[in-house]
Amino acid sequence: MIPLSVLDLSVVTTGTKPAAALRNSIDLARHVDGLGYVRYWLAEHHNLASVASPAPDVMIGQIAAVTKHIRVGSGGVMLPNHAPLVVAERFKMLEALFPGRIDLGLGRAPGTDGATAYALRSRLDRREGDDFLERLHELILWETREFPSGHPYNNVVAMPDDTPLPPIWLLGSSDYSSELAAQVGMGFAFAHHFASHDAIDAMVHYRNHFQPSAWSASPRAILAVAVIAADTDEEAEKLATSFDLNRLRRDRGQYLPLPSVEEALAYPYTDVERTSILRNRSRLFVGNPATVQKKLQPLIDASKPDELMVITAVYDHEARKRSYSLLAEAFGLAKQAA
């Protein structure tokens, strides 16, 4: 059976305020730590009413402190929003405090709208265009200390200097991301749950073109998928109505808190909206554990990930925990851990 991990957005609902959503993330992390999940990643988003956490590094420290076994990381740090030295310092600190349990996932996108992205970077050295590669290169140099002779950064040290950066993963939802991760020889995590690019193509390309590096001798691929599991197919479909309405609103640029099942069922959908919901369901796996496993297996077989990272966004926190429990049992996580 394939190992399972968790991707958490600290989802805000119409009945759960942001502060409570953050506490729910900590509670969920404790829960899955005991179920045998491999890692727990936190995303970075800004100015979204539906996402409580804009600072994964803060949440990583909190979650690592209350769990025992699970790796904790960023899914991811949006590198264009941060000075590479700051990222290096914070993740070296986390690695020093929780050795062998931290992951550094990096993303190219700002994780927000244009105005917020500008506010995040307006006091930094703002460059035009995509400077992700430049920032990634600088981040690596803070670890390798291979700045050119005479470069002023040779006199700057990312502390704590006796601790390495944790493993680096490149996140993506396009062919560019898979190509870059393969070229630089780093781990790759593909976001099937919102990508328009074909996941199988991206994952296969990454494996076939991977170049060994100091970061990794062999390809390491994670496939992130959206799953809602319940004891019955009917119950899971009911829980998924919240996702359906939320996704419909997001496609219109409305990043509202996740609605309840009752709100979703009462919404007056048009035929066009129902068609859009059916189309979005291609990115969501819904049902009882056996149904979900059956739906996922063709994608797993074709894309050959080393690990499946599951994001479950449902209104009720206990239902979300139950979904992860059912998946853990279906995929035999307790047996794998033993």
Side-chain angles (χ1 to χ4, degrees), residues 119-137:
L120 286 166
R121 309 173 197 175
S122 61
R123 300 296 178 181
L124 302 175
D125 180 14
R126 183 173 172 82
R127 295 172 174 82
E128 296 300 324
D130 186 347
D131 64 350
F132 176 79
L133 277 178
E134 184 180 343
R135 289 173 182 265
L136 177 62
H137 187 218

Side-chain angles (χ1 to χ4, degrees), residues 129-258:
D130 186 347
D131 64 350
F132 176 79
L133 277 178
E134 184 180 343
R135 289 173 182 265
L136 177 62
H137 187 218
E138 183 182 323
L139 176 63
I140 292 171
L141 289 174
W142 287 118
E143 178 70 7
T144 63
R145 306 300 307 168
E146 294 175 349
F147 290 107
S149 177
H151 196 287
Y153 287 176
N154 280 315
N155 297 319
V156 181
V157 177
M159 294 294 288
D161 64 353
D162 62 341
T163 304
L165 278 176
I168 297 178
W169 297 77
L170 298 188
L171 281 55
S173 57
S174 67
D175 54 345
Y176 173 85
S177 305
S178 63
E179 292 171 3
L180 178 60
Q183 182 179 346
V184 298
M186 292 179 176
F188 176 55
F190 186 82
H192 173 274
H193 56 292
F194 68 80
S196 56
H197 187 76
D198 181 61
I200 298 170
D201 176 75
M203 298 286 279
V204 170
H205 184 281
Y206 168 70
R207 284 198 179 281
N208 289 344
H209 294 84
F210 181 85
Q211 299 179 26
S213 70
W215 300 99
S216 181
S218 58
R220 299 171 299 150
I222 293 175
L223 181 64
V225 293
V227 176
I228 296 176
D231 291 286
T232 66
D233 286 346
E234 293 74 20
E235 184 182 353
E237 287 290 341
K238 188 175 181 181
L239 291 172
T241 58
S242 294
F243 173 94
D244 293 335
L245 178 55
N246 188 58
R247 183 71 201 197
L248 189 67
R249 288 170 169 171
R250 287 185 64 179
D251 288 345
R252 298 171 177 167
Q254 301 172 353
Y255 292 87
L256 303 174
L258 187 73

Side-chain angles (χ1 to χ4, degrees), residues 63-94:
I63 287 174
V66 298
T67 53
K68 296 180 180 178
H69 310 291
I70 200 166
R71 296 187 66 94
V72 191
S74 55
V77 166
M78 299 295 104
L79 191 53
N81 298 337
H82 308 279
L85 174 59
V86 173
V87 176
E89 290 176 331
R90 291 178 181 177
F91 277 81
K92 284 165 76 72
M93 280 187 64
L94 288 167

